[in-house]
């Protein structure tokens, strides 16, 4: 895809490594997987509202969900797609589901539609930069499989962090076959594991390197 402008004027964000990105210009060349790994490794799931020195990060969620897909289905293509599902948070940040729900109630569906539009645009650029199948080509079965794993992971994470009472907020789905427990990793581990799985999923040893 060619770069696509979403806004009339640039909206700049500093994203590390001396880079300043116009987040209103959707461009695969702007995608930096090393920065993505580092960023997602520090972004807290559930807004970090739990005890302990480490947050359960977006990167850990991505890696352990992808690992579970491989263990359960041996489908590395699907696992790779899951790994980058929240990659747009490099540019847009992330909010927990309760916060998203509150914003939806107070602002209406227009904000939801615009948010999905912007995320989808960056997703297209991210998957293209990784050399993976882009979301516009996914089948309904692929989308449903990714969503199911996300729900299963989120439910299992919530129970791990907050106890069995947290299960009431989710459908009664089976826990994913993760490698190891869902207790929060240090950010450094989450970053490295994210890059390692990305290299495995893409077959590219150069991706995410300095």
């Amino acid at each position: 895809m060619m770069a696509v402008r979403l806004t009339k004027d640039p909206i700049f964000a500093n994203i590390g490594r001396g880079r300043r990105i116009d987040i209103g210009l959707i461009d695969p060349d702007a995608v930096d997987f090393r920065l993505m790994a580092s960023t997602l490794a520090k972004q807290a799931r559930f807004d970090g509202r739990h005890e302990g020195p480490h947050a359960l990060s977006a990167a850990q969620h991505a890696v352990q969900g992808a690992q579970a897909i491989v263990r359960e289905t041996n489908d590395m293509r699907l696992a790779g797609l899951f790994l980058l599902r929240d990659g747009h948070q490099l540019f847009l940040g992330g909010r927990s589901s309760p916060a998203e729900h509150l914003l939806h109630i107070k602002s209406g569906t227009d904000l939801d539609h615009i948010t999905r539009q912007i995320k989808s645009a960056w997703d297209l650029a991210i998957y293209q930069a990784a050399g993976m199948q882009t979301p516009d080509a996914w089948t309904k079965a692929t989308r449903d499989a990714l969503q199911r794993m996300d729900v299963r992971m989120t439910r299992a994470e919530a129970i791990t962090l907050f106890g069995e009472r947290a299960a009431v907020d989710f459908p009664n789905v089976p826990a994913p076959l993760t490698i190891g427990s869902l207790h929060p990793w240090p950010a450094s581990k989450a970053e490295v594991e994210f890059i390692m799985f990305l290299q495995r999923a893409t077959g590219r040893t150069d991706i995410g390197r300095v």
Side-chain angles (χ1 to χ4, degrees):
M1 66 174 281
M2 297 178 61
V4 177
R5 175 157 290 289
L6 297 183
T7 58
K8 179 181 177 182
D9 299 315
I11 302 173
F12 289 107
N14 294 303
I15 66 166
R17 298 181 69 183
R19 301 188 65 190
R20 191 165 179 257
I21 297 297
D22 176 6
I23 64 171
L25 180 66
I26 311 301
D27 185 356
D29 289 340
V31 179
D32 184 320
F33 290 105
R34 181 184 170 207
L35 278 175
M36 182 183 293
S38 180
T39 300
L40 268 59
K42 298 188 291 284
Q43 287 181 343
R45 304 260 305 152
F46 309 99
D47 293 328
R49 293 187 298 265
H50 56 81
E51 297 87 350
H54 303 299
L56 198 158
S57 68
Q60 180 179 346
H61 171 83
V63 171
Q64 290 196 285
Q67 290 172 338
I69 287 173
V70 173
R71 290 190 74 189
E72 294 177 9
T73 69
N74 202 32
D75 189 340
M76 182 56 76
R77 180 196 70 91
L78 188 66
L81 299 182
F82 187 87
L83 185 77
L84 296 182
R85 198 166 180 266
D86 293 327
H88 52 254
Q89 292 180 194
L90 167 62
F91 304 104
L92 306 174
R95 288 190 293 261
S96 64
S97 294
E100 290 278 6
H101 186 53
L102 176 60
L103 287 171
H104 167 73
I105 290 172
K106 297 300 289 182
S107 65
T109 57
D110 283 350
L111 180 61
D112 287 352
H113 175 70
I114 291 167
T115 300
R116 282 195 301 271
Q117 218 174 32
I118 296 170
K119 288 180 178 179
S120 294
W122 271 115
D123 285 343
L124 195 66
I126 288 165
Y127 284 101
Q128 180 175 317
M132 293 183 184
Q133 185 183 42
T134 52
D136 56 340
W138 294 354
T139 63
K140 182 178 184 298
T142 292
R143 293 182 183 277
D144 288 348
L146 294 172
Q147 179 62 21
R148 281 195 301 272
M149 180 53 73
D150 186 63
V151 171
R152 291 171 62 198
M153 282 292 297
T154 303
R155 181 180 188 273
E157 290 163 347
I159 291 171
T160 298
L161 294 174
F162 308 114
E164 288 293 335
R165 63 184 180 181
V168 71
D169 296 321
F170 302 92
N172 188 19
V173 292
L177 297 180
T178 57
I179 296 176
S181 76
L182 291 171
H183 292 288
W185 295 345
S188 56
K189 174 179 171 65
E191 179 178 349
V192 169
E193 293 286 346
F194 186 94
I195 292 296
M196 288 176 61
F197 200 97
L198 181 61
Q199 291 177 346
R200 181 181 170 198
T202 59
R204 292 171 51 189
T205 57
D206 64 304
I207 198 166
R209 296 179 64 181
V210 177

